[in-house]
Amino acid sequence: MSVQSTSLFQRQATGLVREAGTWSTLIYNINFVSIGLMMLFVLQLEPAFYPGGNMLVSYLMALAVVLPTSFVFAMFAAAMPRSGGDYVYVSRILGPRLGMMSSFINTVWWFIYGGVPSAFFARYGLGPLCRNVGIMSGNQALIDLGAWFVTPEGTIITGILLVTALVVAFSLGLHVYFRVQNALFVVAMVGLAVIGFVLLTGSNEQFQANLATYSGVPNAYQDVIDAATATGFTEAPFSWYWSLIPITWIYLELVFNQSSAYIGGEIKRASRIQLWSMPLTAVICVGVAMLLTWLFQQTIGTTFLGAVSWDAGATIGLSSAPTFSELAAYMSGSTIVAVIVGIGFVFWSYTWLPGQILNASRNLLAYSVDGVFPARFGSVNERYHTPVFSLVIVGLGSIAALIVYATNSDFTTLTGIVAFIVSFIIVSIAAILFPRRKRDVWAASPVAWTWGGLPVISIAGVVSLAALIVTLWVFLNDPLAGVFVLDGFTPHFTDESGALTKDSIRLLITIGTVLSGLVVFEVSRIIRARRGVRLEAAFEEIPVE
Amino acid sequence: MKKRLTLFYASDIHGSERVFRKFLRAAPHYRADAVVFGGDITGKALVPIVEVGPGRFRGELLGIAHDVDAGAGLDGLESKIRTNGFYPYRTTADEVARMSADPAYLRSVFSRVMAQTAERWVTLADEQLRAAGVPALMMPGNDDEPEVKRLLAQGEWIVDAEGRIVELEGYQVASYGYATTTPWHSPREVTEEAMAEALDALLAGIDPSRPVIFNFHDPPNDSGLDLAHKLTVDLRVQSGAGMPLLSSVGSRSVRAVIERVQPVLSLHGHIHESRASTRIGRTLAVNPGSVYGEGTLQGVLITLEAGKVVGHQFVSG
């Protein structure tokens, strides 16, 4: 390789690759933040169930609490580009037990959350697509198929097929899958652009007229509002509190902006693409979502958005609340638009799942290499170069979670994010202590900045920790999060009869998953010690002097 | 044969002084009986530190300019540069300009700096490992210039094990540090055919009745120890949907001799991102990977008893 600059000369040696470009790094990260799902939850839930909430303010608040953690991950990725995530950061800085605890939280919930997007695939992706196209084209078979997709049976069967297809695709190698995924990502982004165009060129009158036509209800728009109001739907003046609480639904997607932490090059660079791509991803996703949300408010109306979700689509003959892509399709009056935006939304509906399966199987492989898990989990298929055993285990776990999620309403969407927050708290503490515990590594890194004499990564860690504590408080105060055990700062763990509430039980289960990593590590340590192996040695730093 | 032998194996230190010093202390730290180094001792990059005034120096590390005075400041900057696996090089603005303009001159500077460092490290290794009484088998890798082999051979305690069979507590260790062709045209590369011939010649000297250990820099093809990032023609990592694409780049010849000879243990490096172990027939093959640029020594502890591997543990120290 030739000379790069007058500040760093490289010779011809293996492994000196060029960095991925800023744009491609951004795309990788945006892939993991489902803009579509983020908007879906906000548009369906906030105007309906958080009276006084302002969706645009919620987006900004969510961004404010996500960015510090994003910077922490970005700085770690710049300082330790080849390590591949929090498992190694935390293990090196805080020790293997906390490293395992932090990482295992993610692994457990990637297993469990395997059931969520695989259910969303039918519930929010294929079901609404078929229903919408069927209604707009007058095709009853498609309408019936759409209705079947959103039944528990349809959701489970479709989800199992999706998980199986992904596990098989990943077991055979990633190349074909990535080509398909990249193409679908383009379709999904085109879908959002089409929605933006439809909203920009459409009007409320046009929407009302088309809604009446497709639903067969002459005054559908007002009827929906009236029906919802009659059953308790209400609006309220702007409230900071009720704008803050629903950030849970935005945080659910936005926090996963750090996927490029896993694709660092061997030679640390000054360009710091890693550093900026993660927070920039969060900013871009929020920007796109805010723009489209504002357009929905301007054309369709916030009151209707809340009412139609509260009414769950009943007044206009639907079995569940319409997605925003269905509303945009109604406004366009075009079946072709319905197909484009519907297919685009299918991508958004399951976009987490591939990353979850890959990340969980990669973690199992890493635990195996470090001796925490049996060697079987680390075996790589010689023909396909993939960890088939781990992939199958993750796939089976995802299917089990799918069945529970689709059939049991006690499994709420947001619960596990509380566990992720604990993991991020541990990472933030590692960031605070990084310059003290690994001074040489920090001082020699491209993020060895100080501000007011303090290491910037430590400051970011403190801010991230504060933001995470606020977020945790928000989750525990959100009536829809599934872990609603606080009223402000007053705990309410039991109901009137003194029994633990379902929310409290879910919180206890979540705490159990947080501690499970410690248990796994200790059990493994004891087993390995009997064979003469010191598991603690796996991450002990050798003193240099 | 020693009843129980614990080996510490690492490779691909690539000029990181901090990691090399950890390697020298690995045996007492992990209670290993011997250490084996699998090649690629020299660094890949050089950071010029320009004297901008009497006793005043300037160097740029990872985009951050450092102006330091001779003494502790300069030593600190050089230490940071070495931690990243780069060579600090005190120079002048004129020489930097010449290095930029003249590739041949740049190569000569690199060779000189690498040789100086390797020579110093050999002395350090001799001193420390002799004092600890730890046998040490070393060899150059594909990224090491031929001069490095000559310097390793000058070691009084450490053994340049490449290209021969070395006895280690009853085990026959066969070492070879070349790699098959790479996109970078590194200093010590051979074709698959030449690799096969060299390994055949090397293994002609083994006694099949006694246990054998391979110490080959290049990992076996299709083993999971050889998964490198798939690259474009301009050496960018190919990725999709947030994940780097991987492809198998190990040596078919290495795999063939492992399958044929079935050593008890086969030690490999070269592919830094492919930290893994696998079984090829009865052989345990390992690649501990490398993150030398982060100041961390990745290695593997292998315990052998009665001519068999009874356990192994990857470590990051």
Side-chain angles (χ1 to χ4, degrees):
Chain A
M1 187 173 282
S2 58
V3 173
Q4 275 75 36
S5 74
T6 55
S7 60
L8 180 77
F9 294 94
Q10 292 181 4
R11 68 186 179 97
Q12 286 185 308
T14 46
L16 297 183
V17 300
R18 295 175 191 276
E19 281 190 316
T22 308
W23 179 239
S24 53
T25 309
L26 275 175
I27 288 178
Y28 305 148
N29 291 335
I30 292 171
N31 243 313
F32 278 76
V33 179
S34 175
I35 301 175
L37 276 181
M38 188 163 73
M39 285 178 53
L40 174 79
F41 290 135
V42 171
L43 289 166
Q44 280 202 343
L45 298 175
E46 186 161 344
F49 303 106
Y50 299 87
N54 180 304
M55 292 185 279
L56 303 184
V57 173
S58 298
Y59 280 121
L60 291 174
M61 286 176 161
L63 182 63
V65 295
V66 161
L67 278 180
T69 308
S70 183
F71 270 112
V72 163
F73 270 89
M75 280 192 261
F76 268 135
M80 302 186 210
R82 298 305 289 267
S83 297
D86 56 311
Y87 176 45
V88 176
Y89 308 152
V90 177
S91 293
R92 285 190 193 163
I93 296 167
L94 300 179
R97 285 178 178 78
L98 283 175
M100 188 66 199
M101 182 173 152
S102 170
S103 172
F104 205 65
I105 292 169
N106 297 340
T107 306
V108 166
W109 283 99
W110 277 327
F111 264 81
I112 297 172
Y113 271 141
V116 176
S118 51
F120 286 176
F121 181 56
R123 190 178 290 174
Y124 296 126
L126 294 173
L129 168 67
C130 293
R131 175 172 78 181
N132 197 217
V133 175
I135 288 172
M136 294 181 67
S137 63
N139 185 325
Q140 188 59 42
L142 267 180
I143 296 172
D144 294 343
L145 182 60
W148 178 79
F149 274 126
V150 298
T151 62
E153 180 190 18
T155 302
I156 290 171
I157 291 172
T158 314
I160 289 174
L161 289 175
L162 176 65
V163 171
T164 305
L166 287 171
V167 168
V168 170
F170 294 156
S171 297
L172 297 177
L174 299 171
H175 302 62
V176 174
Y177 161 74
F178 282 141
R179 276 200 286 275
V180 173
Q181 184 79 348
N182 287 342
L184 286 174
F185 177 72
V186 172
V187 171
M189 293 304 283
V190 168
L192 288 184
V194 169
I195 288 172
F197 179 78
V198 167
L199 295 173
L200 274 172
T201 55
S203 66
N204 184 269
E205 293 73 25
Q206 183 185 334
F207 175 74
Q208 289 200 31
N210 287 350
L211 184 69
T213 302
Y214 293 124
S215 66
V217 180
N219 196 22
Y221 188 90
Q222 191 57 46
D223 285 358
V224 165
I225 295 172
D226 293 344
T229 305
T231 54
F233 167 67
T234 183
E235 293 184 284
F238 170 74
S239 158
W240 286 105
Y241 180 81
W242 287 112
S243 297
L244 175 64
I245 297 301
I247 69 167
T248 49
W249 296 99
I250 305 168
Y251 195 87
L252 172 69
E253 294 85 12
L254 201 57
V255 79
F256 299 106
N257 58 63
Q258 66 267 34
S259 65
S260 62
Y262 298 94
I263 59 170
E266 177 170 329
I267 296 287
K268 293 178 218 168
R269 304 275 181 185
S271 61
R272 306 190 188 106
I273 285 173
Q274 288 281 18
L275 187 61
W276 294 109
S277 69
M278 300 179 202
L280 197 56
T281 296
V283 171
I284 289 172
C285 291
V286 162
V288 171
M290 283 181 71
L291 176 64
L292 290 174
T293 300
W294 178 77
L295 287 172
F296 271 106
Q297 288 181 287
Q298 296 306 306
T299 52
I300 291 178
T302 310
T303 303
F304 178 81
L305 289 169
V308 78
S309 293
W310 182 278
D311 187 48
T315 302
I316 50 176
L318 302 179
S319 58
S320 60
T323 64
F324 67 83
S325 58
E326 288 179 281
L327 297 178
Y330 286 149
M331 176 172 276
S332 73
S334 161
T335 308
I336 293 172
V337 168
V339 171
I340 293 172
V341 301
I343 290 175
F345 200 81
V346 169
F347 171 86
W348 293 122
S349 71
Y350 76 94
T351 187
W352 298 329
L353 187 60
Q356 285 173 302
I357 291 174
L358 286 171
N359 287 340
S361 62
R362 185 171 50 195
N363 276 6
L364 294 181
L365 195 147
Y367 305 153
S368 170
V369 167
D370 286 335
V372 182
F373 267 37
R376 187 74 194 272
F377 287 88
S379 61
V380 174
N381 182 282
E382 291 191 5
R383 182 171 175 189
Y384 301 115
H385 316 133
T386 52
V388 174
F389 181 77
S390 288
L391 282 167
V392 170
I393 293 293
V394 175
L396 291 174
S398 297
I399 288 171
L402 162 69
I403 293 168
V404 174
Y405 184 70
T407 56
N408 187 339
S409 60
D410 288 339
F411 180 178
T412 59
T413 304
L414 287 176
T415 304
I417 298 301
V418 170
F420 276 106
I421 290 171
V422 175
S423 169
F424 298 147
I425 284 174
I426 296 171
V427 174
S428 300
I429 293 169
I432 294 168
L433 298 176
F434 177 36
R436 178 184 287 264
R437 295 241 173 140
K438 298 285 173 190
R439 183 151 197 91
D440 290 347
V441 178
W442 168 76
S445 77
V447 292
W449 311 314
T450 56
W451 191 54
L454 295 171
V456 171
I457 192 167
S458 296
I459 297 170
V462 169
V463 177
S464 172
L465 183 60
L468 287 163
I469 290 169
V470 169
T471 309
L472 190 57
W473 178 84
V474 169
F475 270 80
L476 299 182
N477 272 281
D478 181 358
L480 300 187
V483 284
F484 180 42
V485 298
L486 284 183
D487 182 6
F489 292 97
T490 307
H492 51 85
F493 295 114
T494 54
D495 58 21
E496 290 166 354
S497 67
L500 284 172
T501 63
K502 284 185 176 179
D503 288 74
S504 299
I505 293 169
R506 276 190 288 262
L507 183 62
L508 286 174
I509 292 170
T510 306
I511 292 169
T513 65
V514 167
L515 297 175
S516 61
L518 283 179
V519 175
V520 167
F521 184 87
E522 284 305 318
V523 169
S524 184
R525 188 186 64 78
I526 292 166
I527 292 171
R528 300 281 287 171
R530 286 180 182 160
R531 296 174 188 165
V533 177
R534 283 194 317 123
L535 195 57
E536 306 93 308
F539 283 100
E540 271 177 10
E541 181 161 20
I542 303 170
V544 177
E545 299 299 342
Chain B
M1 182 181 292
K2 193 176 170 77
K3 187 182 176 196
R4 174 179 270 216
L5 174 67
T6 301
L7 293 180
F8 176 78
Y9 170 80
S11 74
D12 299 272
I13 285 172
H14 285 293
S16 172
E17 178 107 10
R18 180 182 176 82
V19 177
F20 184 69
R21 286 177 181 272
K22 287 181 175 180
F23 177 77
L24 299 183
R25 299 178 64 92
H29 183 79
Y30 295 122
R31 298 170 211 155
D33 302 305
V35 293
V36 178
F37 181 71
D40 279 1
I41 200 167
T42 46
K44 302 179 179 183
L46 182 149
V47 176
I49 301 176
V50 178
E51 186 161 15
V52 291
R56 189 78 180 150
F57 295 84
R58 172 173 291 173
E60 187 179 317
L61 178 61
L62 303 171
I64 302 173
H66 298 265
D67 290 301
V68 295
D69 293 322
L74 184 57
D75 291 345
L77 176 57
E78 290 185 335
S79 173
K80 286 178 189 172
I81 292 169
R82 289 196 183 99
T83 296
N84 278 291
F86 305 151
Y87 293 117
Y89 181 60
R90 297 186 197 183
T91 182
T92 63
D94 289 344
E95 190 180 23
V96 170
R98 186 176 174 194
M99 287 159 65
S100 299
D102 184 350
Y105 182 72
L106 176 62
R107 277 196 295 276
S108 73
V109 171
F110 252 119
S111 296
R112 178 158 41 91
V113 172
M114 285 191 293
Q116 286 170 349
T117 306
E119 193 165 15
R120 185 166 55 82
W121 283 11
V122 167
T123 305
L124 199 63
D126 272 342
E127 287 172 4
Q128 294 199 9
L129 294 171
R130 189 205 310 267
V134 177
L137 306 188
M138 311 280 285
M139 73 170 176
N142 68 297
D143 277 328
D144 296 319
E145 299 282 351
E147 173 74 356
V148 172
K149 183 168 175 60
R150 187 185 66 76
L151 292 167
L152 288 175
Q154 288 177 357
E156 294 174 356
W157 177 264
I158 65 169
V159 175
D160 171 28
E162 190 188 36
R164 57 198 175 111
I165 310 297
V166 176
E167 288 291 328
L168 181 67
E169 302 290 354
Y171 295 84
Q172 303 171 87
V173 183
S175 302
Y176 194 62
Y178 281 76
T180 47
T181 312
T182 75
W184 295 274
H185 310 296
S186 59
R188 296 186 353 130
E189 294 182 1
V190 290
T191 62
E192 280 289 359
E193 293 72 25
M195 174 73 86
E197 286 175 18
L199 296 181
D200 285 346
L202 170 64
L203 298 174
I206 61 169
D207 174 356
S209 67
R210 293 195 299 117
V212 177
I213 295 173
F214 285 175
N215 174 27
F216 296 162
H217 187 64
D218 208 349
N221 188 257
D222 272 351
S223 62
L225 277 57
D226 65 329
L227 294 175
H229 291 146
K230 197 172 183 199
L231 302 175
T232 60
V233 288
D234 65 343
L235 301 179
R236 286 185 196 281
V237 174
Q238 291 187 40
S239 303
M243 308 291 284
L245 300 182
L246 300 174
S247 60
S248 184
V249 298
S251 165
R252 294 190 302 279
S253 309
V254 168
R255 184 173 185 105
V257 294
I258 293 173
E259 289 172 343
R260 191 178 79 232
V261 176
Q262 290 284 280
V264 294
L265 174 65
S266 198
L267 305 167
H268 306 278
H270 190 40
I271 308 302
H272 303 178
E273 56 271 47
S274 205
R275 177 177 166 89
S277 64
T278 192
R279 286 272 173 189
I280 300 176
R282 294 187 305 278
T283 302
L284 174 72
V286 295
N287 174 4
S290 174
V291 288
Y292 69 92
E294 297 170 19
T296 295
L297 173 65
Q298 287 193 336
V300 58
L301 288 161
I302 304 116
T303 306
L304 299 119
E305 273 183 18
K308 290 181 179 171
V309 175
V310 294
H312 74 282
Q313 170 77 50
F314 284 101
V315 291
S316 297

